[in-house]
Amino acid sequence: MGFTIIEPLKYWLLDHPSIVWFRWSPAQSWGSTWPFLATAIAAYITTAVTLHLTLKLFRRRRPIPLGPIPAIHGLAMSLLSATIFAGTLLSAAAEIRDTRWLWRRTRTTPMEWFLCFPLGTRPSGRVFFWSYIFYLSRFLHLLRTFFIILRHRKLSFFRLFNHSILLLTSFLWLEFSQSFQVLAILFSTLVYSVVYGYRFWNEMGFPCNKRFSFTVNCQILLLGCNLVCHVGVLCLHFLRGGCNGIGAWVFNSVLNAAILFLFLKSYVNVHCTRKNTSTGIAVTETLNLGMGIRD
């Protein structure tokens, strides 16, 4: 019984022709051009600002009922993130298996490949297919902004900026075959699958601990893993003669450094001052801006 289930899953996650023969190009991949990316980000910002100003203009203070839409969105994002995680993990294992003979000549270990793609790596094959699906999932993630506007009448520059940067970053991973993206996708989708599952649980009205900053703890874990891996990429870049897509990696590193700064600042405010409970809520809001893990 288990074998009959595993084989179809393996085919759809690893061996489907669309996965094996994937290639990032304007002719084959939807949304793979710079004009499309710029238009998408501009449309997202314009729509969010327009909706927010419209509600302000009509002075509507009551939340607009969204029904089961946020719950469905949370469940869909959780399942999609889990699928991307499984597909990326299987694809990485297949890539290691298929190219092990080459790595022995260059004395490259699997962990070094996870952190540092060889120079000349092209965005094609199984791993980059799931990177592409992760990029597309960022568009679905943007819907959270509109849920917040309709429910709480809240819209911040940081939210718009952060979500736009996340979309741009995932685009750069593919455009420049950036190193470290496999681990970044694995870490992010693992966290997203848990966080969005938690949100689905809350939306369905199931009991949960309101004082437990679940998303904040997930954020801490994600930032810590990213920091360690970025140090590894930097070391390998200088020790092994260069990593592919290092320019995009530098941009991503600057973003992570800014997020880490926000976290440390908020962490100090909470654990050193401990003024009141509202401070903790503010920290949760600030931290969740970081990687898009926000209610």
Side-chain angles (χ1 to χ4, degrees):
M1 181 66 180
F3 180 79
T4 58
I5 296 176
I6 292 175
E7 285 303 313
L9 285 177
K10 183 180 177 182
Y11 174 77
W12 288 106
L13 293 175
L14 187 64
D15 296 328
H16 191 278
S18 298
I19 300 176
V20 175
W21 302 109
F22 171 79
R23 183 170 176 265
W24 170 259
S25 68
Q28 299 182 22
S29 310
W30 179 81
S32 60
T33 63
W34 286 99
F36 175 88
L37 178 67
T39 302
I41 293 176
Y44 161 67
I45 295 175
T46 301
T47 304
V49 172
T50 301
L51 178 61
H52 181 66
L53 292 178
T54 300
L55 293 176
K56 286 286 187 180
L57 181 64
F58 286 98
R59 298 181 179 179
R60 183 182 177 89
R61 297 182 178 180
R62 293 183 179 181
I64 296 177
L66 299 177
I69 295 177
I72 294 173
H73 178 266
L75 180 61
M77 284 297 298
S78 180
L79 294 176
L80 179 59
S81 297
T83 301
I84 296 172
F85 175 83
T88 303
L89 188 62
L90 290 174
S91 298
E95 182 71 20
I96 293 172
R97 179 197 63 210
D98 295 341
T99 57
R100 188 178 295 275
W101 63 272
L102 179 61
W103 293 358
R104 289 174 181 173
R105 294 183 179 180
T106 59
R107 297 181 180 179
T108 301
T109 64
M111 181 52 66
E112 289 174 347
W113 176 80
F114 272 114
L115 293 172
C116 179
F117 284 160
L119 294 176
T121 299
R122 301 296 182 184
S124 60
R126 296 183 178 98
V127 168
F128 288 98
F129 170 83
W130 288 109
S131 180
Y132 176 61
I133 299 300
F134 181 82
Y135 163 64
L136 296 181
S137 72
R138 298 300 85 202
F139 291 96
L140 184 60
H141 178 73
L142 297 180
L143 293 178
R144 295 295 306 179
T145 299
F146 303 102
F147 295 161
I148 294 296
I149 295 174
L150 293 173
R151 275 184 167 179
H152 307 293
R153 307 296 180 273
K154 293 181 179 179
L155 179 65
S156 66
F157 166 78
F158 294 103
R159 171 179 291 278
L160 295 177
F161 176 77
N162 177 70
H163 287 186
S164 300
I165 289 298
L166 288 175
L167 188 60
L168 174 61
T169 299
S170 58
F171 178 90
L172 294 177
W173 288 352
L174 289 157
E175 186 70 12
F176 298 101
S177 304
Q178 183 197 310
S179 298
F180 172 62
Q181 65 176 281
V182 176
L183 283 179
I185 293 172
L186 288 174
F187 292 152
S188 298
T189 52
L190 181 60
V191 170
Y192 286 145
S193 62
V194 176
V195 168
Y196 275 104
Y198 181 77
R199 285 176 176 167
F200 170 73
W201 182 270
N202 288 340
E203 291 290 346
M204 295 300 294
F206 295 118
C208 60
N209 189 348
K210 298 295 184 180
R211 294 187 178 183
F212 178 65
S213 301
F214 182 76
T215 57
V216 174
N217 284 277
C218 289
Q219 176 77 351
I220 294 172
L221 179 62
L222 185 59
L223 287 173
C225 292
N226 282 338
L227 178 62
V228 172
C229 291
H230 276 288
V231 174
V233 173
L234 187 62
C235 293
L236 288 174
H237 176 68
F238 290 107
L239 292 176
R240 299 193 62 86
C243 297
N244 203 70
I246 196 64
W249 173 85
V250 170
F251 178 84
N252 194 19
S253 298
V254 172
L255 174 63
N256 280 316
I259 295 169
L260 183 60
F261 172 77
L262 286 174
F263 164 69
L264 291 176
K265 180 180 178 181
S266 301
Y267 186 86
V268 170
N269 288 338
V270 170
H271 293 276
C272 290
T273 59
R274 293 185 178 274
K275 290 182 179 180
N276 48 44
T277 306
S278 62
T279 307
I281 297 175
V283 163
T284 301
E285 290 293 316
T286 303
L287 287 176
N288 288 337
L289 280 170
M291 294 297 288
I293 305 176
R294 179 172 180 178
D295 198 344

